[in-house]
Amino acid sequence: MQGTVEGFSYGLVTPVAAFLMACLGAALGLRCTARSLRTRRPWKPGGLALGAASIGSGVWTMHFIGMMGFAVTEAPIGYDRFTTFASLVVGIVMTGIGIFIVGYRGSTPMALVTGGTVTGLGIATMHYLGMAGVRLHGQVTYDTGTVALSVLIAVAASVAGLWVIATHRGFSASLGASLVLGVASTGMHFTAMAGVEVHLDGTTTTPGGAPATELLVPMLIGPAVFLLLAGVALFFDPLLVTGGRGRDMDRHEGHLRSARPARSAGATRGLCGSRGLGGVPAQRTRLRADRDRREETDRTAARAPRSGPQDLHDW
């Protein structure tokens, strides 16, 4: 028996809420990624990992908010706990692989295409793995063309979002990339759902798995709170969540170093027993000078000119 599929049981509430969470996750993830792309410091992997977690959590939250409106008129629906949670983990891991490729390979065309493809496939995998967790008395099938289109949307949007954030600077670029990824991931979800067909076996008993209100609502609280807290932290201090220091502080320290009197040749001559400027051992002075040069190189790379306006939100 053919089941009657409803995708908007709560009207526009679920698609609008899903879109907002997808945009929030994309905004946080892409801005963390953008900041990490412009630094060589040890906390770079942490920034990329936070970006992957934000994008993955945002897309996963979007998906299951949308699934709150999914219903089959003739049969109740349940969700398998393990498969539902596994879809979140898989989405974050695959998104992380794509972001780390771009983070360490730079903004080359090959890195952007490869990283964007992996990220897009991660978003699509998360969606269809989450759908595999649906439990009902029947079979869920998909239209092949619709599935291919949904995967293409996810991949194209991921490549575009990473390209914008890697090659442009400024708040407008971050906002545009976040909207692109938010619109595309939400559009991918509802495009995929448009190709869903349900064939029921006529059984009316309660299916396996937990009801949506019992499983999805509690599971959505964690990623949603994480995204909101990270968003608040980014709003008040964009560098807080990645552990970096503000560019103004870096510039201030650079000016202080440039204002110091030049060390004489005799100040840095000798071994540990020799004394440099102000009685500091010459070897320690040389080590400090080497450290200052490395930090200056990192700041120069981080401030490399890119297209687009620069402002306080420029990562």
Side-chain angles (χ1 to χ4, degrees):
M1 181 177 67
Q2 185 77 22
T4 304
V5 177
E6 294 185 19
F8 304 95
S9 300
Y10 297 98
L12 293 178
V13 174
T14 50
V16 171
F19 169 72
L20 293 177
M21 294 306 297
C23 288
L24 176 60
L28 297 176
L30 290 176
R31 296 194 71 182
C32 290
T33 303
R35 174 60 183 171
S36 300
L37 285 172
R38 298 179 177 97
T39 185
R40 298 176 183 175
R41 296 184 180 181
W43 46 263
K44 179 176 182 176
L48 294 174
L50 182 58
S54 298
I55 295 176
S57 298
V59 174
W60 187 87
T61 306
M62 174 276 300
H63 170 77
F64 282 104
I65 288 178
M67 290 301 293
M68 293 290 293
F70 175 73
V72 178
T73 305
E74 296 83 2
I77 295 177
Y79 293 87
D80 178 71
R81 288 181 171 84
F82 176 79
T83 308
T84 300
F85 181 75
S87 66
L88 171 62
V89 176
V90 170
I92 292 177
V93 169
M94 291 190 66
T95 300
I97 293 173
I99 286 178
F100 269 77
I101 290 174
V102 176
Y104 282 95
R105 294 297 181 182
S107 56
T108 63
M110 179 61 68
L112 290 173
V113 171
T114 304
T117 300
V118 175
T119 300
L121 291 177
I123 293 174
T125 302
M126 180 279 305
H127 172 87
Y128 287 104
L129 184 57
M131 288 298 297
V134 174
R135 297 290 180 264
L136 51 75
H137 292 296
Q139 184 180 9
V140 178
T141 60
Y142 304 93
D143 176 71
T144 303
T146 306
V147 171
L149 178 60
S150 67
V151 174
L152 181 62
I153 291 173
V155 171
S158 299
V159 173
L162 290 176
W163 174 78
V164 171
I165 212 67
T167 58
H168 294 71
R169 300 181 87 171
F171 178 74
S172 58
S174 298
L175 179 62
S178 303
L179 289 176
V180 167
L181 194 54
V183 169
S185 58
T186 308
M188 179 275 298
H189 169 81
F190 288 105
T191 298
M193 296 305 295
V196 170
E197 293 183 354
V198 176
H199 303 276
L200 301 175
D201 57 16
T203 306
T204 58
T205 58
T206 303
T213 54
E214 179 183 326
L215 176 65
L216 297 185
V217 174
M219 290 189 70
L220 288 172
I221 293 176
V225 170
F226 163 74
L227 292 174
L228 292 175
L229 291 178
V232 170
L234 267 172
F235 178 80
F236 287 106
D237 185 359
L239 300 180
L240 176 63
V241 294
T242 54
R245 297 181 301 173
R247 287 194 307 274
D248 291 340
M249 181 66 73
D250 287 343
R251 292 194 188 104
H252 177 65
E253 293 180 354
H255 290 321
L256 289 179
R257 277 193 293 273
S258 63
R260 294 172 183 169
R263 295 181 174 89
S264 63
T268 57
R269 189 181 298 118
L271 299 175
C272 294
S274 302
R275 294 287 169 174
L277 192 63
V280 180
Q283 187 176 14
R284 189 186 307 171
T285 303
R286 287 195 298 272
L287 291 175
R288 185 179 300 169
D290 292 340
R291 182 191 64 189
D292 291 345
R293 282 194 297 270
R294 286 195 300 269
E295 291 182 354
E296 186 63 30
T297 301
D298 288 345
R299 282 191 296 276
T300 301
R303 294 194 294 268
R306 294 174 184 268
S307 59
Q310 298 188 11
D311 52 26
L312 292 176
H313 299 276
D314 181 12
W315 280 54

